[in-house]
Amino acid sequence: MYIVIEGIDTAGKSTQLALLQEKYKEAIFTKEPGGTPIGSKLRTMALNGEANSNIAEMFLFLADRAEHIEEVVVKNKEKVVISDRSMISGIAYASLFELDKMIELNLLATNNTLPTHAILLELSPSELKHRLSQKQNDAIELRGINYLLNIQNRMKETIKKLGINHKFIDASLSIEEIEKQIEEFLNGK
Ligand SMILES: Nc1ncnc2c1ncn2[C@@H]1O[C@H](COP(=O)(O)OP(=O)(O)OP(=O)(O)O)[C@@H](O)[C@H]1O
Ligand SMILES: Cc1cn([C@H]2C[C@H](O)[C@@H](COP(=O)(O)O)O2)c(=O)[nH]c1=O
């Protein structure tokens, strides 16, 4: 099983991953970007804005993804792998580029490896505004609410276009209710 937890910044991914970690003791927990030694360097470069070129920045994320899929996801394909983000974020956040082009590049980077289960925590505009106001915003969060809501729409479109088995969950539900809905989805209910 290759399970991915998706959502824009502040959607509640880390909160739910911490709960999953208590229940899935045998699973491999990983993340993008930065789930491998090379990926950790690529993450620093990408998130610190070291590349001047938007295209170079997009390829940093793709390089991270290619290494992560081969070294973590495929090498552990007999186990349960649970990842914080995936190609779904990769395709969506690269919003300067056409969606179909990003799908093509990401399928190349992942050798067509798709998540078996995608959980998308979906934020309303008001809840996103509230959560961003509660924290110090990084460079991506400073791009604003409309930017992030557009990324969220691209995430949903990507999941549907790729036909990935998925569950969209209202991120403003209580932490316990979201945890329950994730559990039901993973148990095939
Ligand atoms: N269901 C929820 N209801 C209300 N607040 C929540 C809920 N889930 C998480 N939060 C709060 O929202 C904030 C963001 O949560 P969290 O760090 O889990 O999100 P994230 O998706 O991992 O964010 P990022 O991508 O920015 O790292 C935290 O302050 C967290 O306590
Ligand atoms: C995978 C991926 C991520 N991003 C963005 C999304 C976030 O703002 C950061 C990652 O930080 P987090 O700790 O996981 O929230 O990077 C992106 O722009 N492109 C991508 O492919």
Side-chain angles (χ1 to χ4, degrees), residues 74-154:
V74 174
K75 279 199 175 153
N76 291 293
K77 62 174 184 275
E78 308 310 329
K79 299 184 182 161
V80 176
V81 175
I82 305 182
S83 183
D84 184 345
R85 299 192 187 275
S86 69
M87 71 191 296
I88 297 166
S89 279
I91 293 164
Y93 276 89
S95 60
L96 287 178
F97 306 96
E98 203 214 327
L99 194 85
D100 287 337
K101 174 59 72 187
M102 288 314 303
I103 288 180
E104 193 186 331
L105 287 171
N106 274 271
L107 288 174
L108 176 70
T110 60
N111 201 13
N112 298 311
T113 306
L114 293 178
T116 58
H117 298 70
I119 292 141
L120 174 75
L121 302 176
E122 192 176 355
L123 278 169
S124 64
S126 57
E127 185 66 17
L128 172 60
K129 196 172 173 190
H130 170 69
R131 289 200 193 171
L132 288 178
S133 72
Q134 299 297 106
K135 65 177 293 232
Q136 179 112 25
N137 293 176
D138 64 25
I140 289 179
E141 290 160 356
L142 284 172
R143 290 177 192 169
I145 290 166
N146 289 340
Y147 168 81
L148 288 170
L149 290 173
N150 177 46
I151 304 303
Q152 181 168 273
N153 284 336
R154 275 175 66 106

Side-chain angles (χ1 to χ4, degrees), residues 27-43:
I28 309 282
F29 283 83
T30 184
K31 66 174 180 184
E32 289 188 21
T36 64
I38 289 174
S40 154
K41 295 181 195 163
L42 291 164
R43 179 184 170 98

Side-chain angles (χ1 to χ4, degrees), residues 8-15 85 127 131 135 141 171-175 178:
I8 51 176
D9 305 62
T10 75
K13 300 178 297 299
S14 312
T15 304
R85 299 192 187 275
E127 185 66 17
R131 289 200 193 171
K135 65 177 293 232
E141 290 160 356
S172 57
L173 292 172
S174 71
I175 291 171
I178 296 172

